[in-house]
Amino acid sequence: MPYRRLPNTDTARIKALKTAIEKAAETDFKELSISPSVLSEARDVVSHFEYLCTRYQQVYNTQVKANKTFIGKVKNARMYLSHFVQVLYMCVLRSEIKEEQLELYGLENLNMVLPDLTSNEQLLEWGMKIIEGEKKRTSRGGVPIYNPSIAKVKVIYTLFKDGLQTQKLHQKATARVLKEVADYRVKVDEVIIDIWEQVEKHHINLTPEERLARNREYGVVYYYRKGEVIE
């Protein structure tokens, strides 16, 4: 015998509810397989669930779109900071800047190697160190580094920093709506089960073939086990 299985995607859940609602709409009231109260609940549930799914897709798309722009800001920040540190090292090698002043930037223990800027967190941390270090050095009478200037680096870094904060807000919004969808799935599944139970009970006295056919009209989904003969 085939077995019943709940939908495993949100699209399928919505389809199951709408199938039952549409079937009920074209059925005479006296022949309905679903109670009016459950039918009314199903309409409310599918409406709200569709709203949540649409809302999630919207915030997710916004996050993806914003991330494409953010990737460019990350690339620029990494490039400008790396370039600035390389120029700084070259100035040290040419004795234009004293090596001990690398401590102002937090670079004293890196043996003239570029800091790791792989992650956003490292980029955020080192960006602040480099900007503050150059500010301290020039405030003591040091000649500013140009090409790139720290002013340009700071602009690029600020764009990255603001972009990172925006992305975190997008991620939180997406996660929040996704949780709402996940939590509401429990209610959706409960209503689907309730509908299917009523439909199967209403058709219990029909022949197996007629019963399965009538139940499927209300969206009940059946599967056959592997190797099971479909008659």
Side-chain angles (χ1 to χ4, degrees):
M1 287 292 293
Y3 66 98
R4 194 181 70 191
R5 189 171 73 189
L6 279 171
N8 55 11
T9 67
D10 293 335
T11 299
R13 287 180 173 90
I14 291 172
K15 181 181 178 181
L17 288 173
K18 284 190 171 182
T19 298
I21 293 170
E22 290 169 3
K23 176 60 180 176
E26 63 185 33
T27 302
D28 186 88
F29 181 79
K30 295 181 181 180
E31 298 177 359
L32 275 178
S33 301
I34 311 171
S35 68
S37 60
V38 172
L39 188 57
S40 177
E41 184 179 24
R43 293 192 185 98
D44 293 339
V45 166
V46 74
S47 177
H48 186 61
F49 194 54
E50 276 192 300
Y51 163 76
L52 288 178
C53 291
T54 299
R55 177 61 180 155
Y56 168 71
Q57 194 60 53
Q58 289 173 339
V59 295
Y60 176 76
N61 289 342
T62 299
Q63 178 186 327
V64 170
K65 184 178 180 180
N67 190 57
K68 292 179 181 179
T69 302
F70 177 61
I71 289 173
K73 294 178 180 179
V74 173
K75 183 179 179 180
N76 282 341
R78 187 175 292 121
M79 179 177 63
Y80 271 83
L81 283 170
S82 297
H83 191 186
F84 185 89
V85 173
Q86 290 177 59
V87 173
L88 174 62
Y89 284 161
M90 289 173 64
C91 290
V92 171
L93 292 174
R94 293 196 297 261
S95 299
E96 296 171 357
I97 293 177
K98 294 180 180 180
E99 186 173 352
E100 54 263 30
Q101 289 186 306
L102 291 177
E103 185 177 354
L104 298 173
Y105 304 83
L107 298 167
E108 68 276 11
N109 297 319
L110 294 186
N111 298 316
M112 305 289 278
V113 175
L114 289 174
D116 188 355
L117 303 175
T118 304
S119 70
N120 291 334
E121 289 71 24
Q122 291 168 322
L123 197 55
L124 196 64
E125 178 184 353
W126 278 107
M128 182 58 67
K129 286 182 178 180
I130 300 303
I131 292 170
E132 288 300 313
E134 180 69 356
K135 180 180 178 180
K136 290 176 183 178
R137 188 182 64 79
T138 55
S139 68
R140 298 176 184 180
V143 178
I145 290 176
Y146 294 100
N147 194 28
S149 68
I150 199 63
K152 180 65 174 178
V153 172
K154 188 174 181 179
V155 169
I156 298 298
Y157 173 77
T158 301
L159 289 174
F160 156 73
K161 185 178 179 180
D162 291 345
L164 180 61
Q165 184 62 32
T166 299
Q167 275 306 99
K168 288 181 178 179
L169 292 175
H170 284 314
Q171 290 168 357
K172 287 181 180 179
T174 302
R176 183 176 62 252
V177 179
L178 179 59
K179 185 179 185 305
E180 290 180 24
V181 172
D183 290 345
Y184 204 70
R185 284 191 191 113
V186 177
K187 179 64 175 179
V188 173
D189 287 345
E190 287 176 353
V191 174
I192 291 174
I193 290 174
D194 202 355
I195 290 173
W196 288 6
E197 290 287 346
Q198 289 191 16
V199 168
E200 288 188 328
K201 183 177 180 180
H202 190 266
H203 298 143
I204 191 66
N205 294 322
L206 299 177
T207 65
E209 183 177 346
E210 290 178 322
R211 186 168 67 246
L212 291 178
R214 295 291 294 276
N215 292 346
R216 286 190 176 108
E217 290 178 356
Y218 279 89
V220 184
V221 180
Y222 293 103
Y223 291 86
Y224 287 89
R225 295 174 177 80
K226 186 177 180 180
E228 187 173 6
V229 177
I230 303 176
E231 298 180 357

